[in-house]
Amino acid sequence: MDTTEKRKHWMSVLAQASFEKLSTLWQQSRNQHGLAPDYKIIRPAEIGLAQVRARMGSTGRQFNIGDVTITRAAVQLASGEMGYSYLQGRNKQHAELAAVLDGLLQTDQYHEAIFAQIVTPLSADKQAEREQRQQEVASSKVDFFTMVRGED
């Protein structure tokens, strides 16, 4: 996986995580490593709307299905790395924390620790949720079949 793909992965994990779980893991990591990142806010967390597009049956023409609320933020660490976040919802604290973590994950000094202590557990939680949802859907699956009658 190249650097761009890795960054897409961790940004996705940070954006989709529950804020409560993310902030708990962040506090634990801060306490363990004495993290107090120095950063300045480039773009304060702000709330906006994004147009969501869809296709009928995944093959038809695109159409606008509606709007979704998003929150975005941008920060710059004292060491120069820029951190960004875009997430669904209206949680400004989540957006700022995700941007700070994005910046820290770009540093050699903190990448491994933050990835192991924050991104990996959040990714595992998301995968477990996905698998549980698939099991729930599979348990309600109905198999239809057709019996062929012999011609008399």
Side-chain angles (χ1 to χ4, degrees):
M1 190 183 297
D2 70 345
T3 307
T4 303
E5 290 300 315
K6 287 179 185 176
R7 188 168 183 208
K8 282 182 186 179
H9 169 71
W10 79 57
M11 290 180 82
S12 174
V13 169
L14 295 172
Q16 294 179 35
S18 79
F19 178 64
E20 293 75 23
K21 179 78 175 188
L22 177 63
S23 60
T24 299
L25 292 172
W26 169 239
Q27 288 304 322
Q28 290 171 356
S29 186
R30 284 183 69 178
N31 294 338
Q32 186 175 2
H33 296 286
L35 284 173
D38 186 21
Y39 65 93
K40 65 179 178 180
I41 296 174
I42 301 298
R43 172 172 287 161
E46 56 188 358
I47 299 168
L49 291 174
Q51 186 78 184
V52 178
R53 298 186 56 96
R55 293 180 189 267
M56 280 299 248
S58 300
T59 58
R61 290 184 47 183
Q62 286 190 344
F63 64 95
N64 295 333
I65 196 167
D67 295 323
V68 65
T69 306
I70 60 168
T71 305
R72 67 180 180 178
V75 300
Q76 183 176 24
L77 301 180
S79 55
E81 290 83 3
M82 297 288 293
Y84 299 93
S85 71
Y86 285 83
L87 53 101
Q88 185 176 338
R90 303 174 59 89
N91 192 331
K92 291 181 177 183
Q93 293 173 314
H94 187 167
E96 185 174 330
L97 178 54
V100 169
L101 288 169
D102 175 47
L104 289 171
L105 281 160
Q106 295 174 61
T107 66
D108 293 333
Q109 183 179 6
Y110 297 114
H111 177 83
E112 286 185 34
I114 291 175
F115 199 88
Q117 294 176 354
I118 297 176
V119 176
T120 300
L122 291 174
S123 183
D125 287 351
K126 193 66 172 175
Q127 182 63 31
E129 287 175 19
R130 225 178 267 125
E131 289 172 3
Q132 181 177 352
R133 179 71 179 134
Q134 287 175 345
Q135 288 175 355
E136 290 171 0
V137 169
S139 69
S140 65
K141 182 180 176 183
V142 178
D143 290 323
F144 293 96
F145 62 93
T146 304
M147 290 180 46
V148 178
R149 291 186 178 183
E151 301 265 345
D152 288 7

